[in-house]
Amino acid sequence: MERRRIGQTSLVVSDICLGTMTFGSTCDEAEAFRILDRAFDAGIDFLDMAEIYPVPPEKEWMHRTEEIVGRWLKTKPRDAIIIATKFCGPGHGWFVPPVREGYTCVDRHHIRRAIEGSLRRLQTDYVDLYQTHWPDHEFSYQHTLEVLDELVYEGKVRYVGCSNETPWGLMKSLAAAEQAGTVRYESIQNNFSLINRRFEDSLADICRRENVSCLPYSPIGGGVLTGKYCDGQFPKGARFTSYMEKGERQQVMVRRFVNEKSLATTKELCELAGELSITPATLATSWSKQHDFVASTIVGANTLDQLEEILPACDYVLDEQALKRIDEITAKYPYPLG
């Protein structure tokens, strides 16, 4: 297991991070403990979650993920685990979260309420990496960063990062931090995969020049890159199968991820994986790790078997010929996710 530094921080983490967003919904606590134990034994020391998890975000089970991880943390030395969690962005935009009655904001009041709740549920007195889950481009970055600076000074948070941020937003935040003399976002957690390479357009360059680390989520494209949705299949129990029965927001996500371009890309990548004698999940995860701006790739597992399928990527390295083939395949179907 390779270890890499996050941004300009002292955090050096496993280059695979375990995402936990289904713990407490489609993955029960017993299975979550098995997944966490196996990941820890394999050398994964970096866990990512959010106050709003598990997904899909429902009021009946919000906060369960942090509660489950908190109980598991009691079975391990706290200093041996790097914990990342996220606080909700604004509730007046594209999504109204079932947290604090949907009136979430990235201001002092809500950030402080959020961190106190997360620390209580995680049964710890500090979080290693605290992240804005989604931005508010109409609100002051300086205000948000000043609050996060206070939390770092108080020892409740070690470092801060952002998620689902734009190139403008990341640069705006870095400028605000420099001007105000506060902590800055050391990481950016965005969707990045073989069916969504938009991060490479401009954010990758910002990360390199400003020494901000990308923590890619959904490296297997929400499961699409495993090939399980090919040929019109929607397997029982699969994420996007269940989303088809949810509201319009989830159905829009299904159409974004499962479409003609994404499936055509996946079919050819699955063929390449077969030639390399690896699984499509190993191919997709290994590719994500092999970028100089990536510190740790976030993988999710709903079952222990799914984690076992991903773990070989810990040590697998794609050679130059394979990387060239991947570029040729993805170039045929540009921007499958739009």
Side-chain angles (χ1 to χ4, degrees), residues 195-242:
I195 54 172
N196 186 20
R197 299 185 63 166
R198 280 200 176 275
F199 197 93
E200 296 170 295
D201 291 349
S202 55
L203 278 166
D205 187 48
I206 296 173
C207 285
R208 292 186 181 106
R209 292 178 182 274
E210 301 294 334
N211 198 8
V212 175
S213 293
C214 177
L215 306 175
Y217 69 82
S218 202
I220 58 175
V224 174
L225 285 163
T226 65
K228 63 184 176 183
Y229 296 105
C230 288
D231 302 318
Q233 299 182 81
F234 276 87
K236 184 177 180 181
R239 177 182 179 186
F240 291 135
T241 303
S242 65

Side-chain angles (χ1 to χ4, degrees), residues 6-217:
I6 295 177
Q8 299 176 345
T9 76
S10 64
L11 298 177
V12 179
V13 300
S14 54
D15 62 358
I16 289 204
C17 171
L18 181 64
T20 61
M21 70 178 186
T22 63
F23 292 0
S25 55
T26 53
C27 178
D28 64 26
E29 184 163 337
E31 186 70 358
F33 268 48
R34 284 190 284 270
I35 292 169
L36 288 161
D37 283 336
R38 179 68 180 97
F40 183 78
D41 291 342
I44 296 174
D45 57 18
F46 188 24
L47 305 180
D48 178 73
M49 62 215 71
E51 65 166 332
I52 200 174
Y53 288 170
V55 298
E58 304 282 356
K59 192 167 186 176
E60 64 185 279
W61 56 41
M62 67 176 178
H63 303 321
R64 283 187 189 175
T65 299
E66 288 183 329
E67 291 170 350
I68 289 172
V69 173
R71 288 189 283 271
W72 177 81
L73 272 177
K74 288 300 182 183
T75 72
K76 299 290 184 289
R78 173 64 184 91
D79 289 340
I81 311 292
I82 305 299
I83 292 292
T85 193
K86 301 181 283 291
F87 60 94
C88 288
H92 54 262
W94 66 280
F95 168 59
V96 179
V99 178
R100 295 184 290 284
E101 303 303 321
Y103 287 89
T104 55
C105 302
V106 291
D107 62 9
R108 178 172 280 97
H109 171 77
H110 281 276
I111 293 173
R112 284 197 167 274
R113 292 199 67 185
I115 189 61
E116 294 301 336
S118 289
L119 293 176
R120 182 175 61 254
R121 291 184 291 271
L122 289 166
Q123 301 184 57
T124 184
D125 58 355
Y126 71 97
V127 166
D128 298 280
L129 181 65
Y130 201 41
Q131 305 155 103
T132 309
H133 206 151
W134 61 93
D136 185 346
H137 289 158
E138 298 177 0
F139 186 70
S140 167
Y141 274 94
Q142 183 171 328
H143 177 107
T144 300
L145 289 166
E146 285 174 349
V147 181
L148 294 172
D149 195 74
E150 293 167 5
L151 297 182
V152 171
Y153 180 79
E154 293 166 12
K156 295 176 180 177
V157 171
R158 293 178 66 189
Y159 299 100
V160 302
C162 59
S163 185
N164 300 302
E165 188 55 278
T166 65
W168 177 87
L170 181 56
M171 284 305 302
K172 181 73 173 179
S173 75
L174 294 172
E178 184 174 358
Q179 184 177 20
T182 65
V183 294
R184 67 170 205 153
Y185 292 146
E186 299 287 354
S187 61
I188 176 171
Q189 185 182 142
N190 276 31
N191 190 298
F192 178 51
S193 74
L194 284 164
I195 54 172
N196 186 20
R197 299 185 63 166
R198 280 200 176 275
F199 197 93
E200 296 170 295
D201 291 349
S202 55
L203 278 166
D205 187 48
I206 296 173
C207 285
R208 292 186 181 106
R209 292 178 182 274
E210 301 294 334
N211 198 8
V212 175
S213 293
C214 177
L215 306 175
Y217 69 82

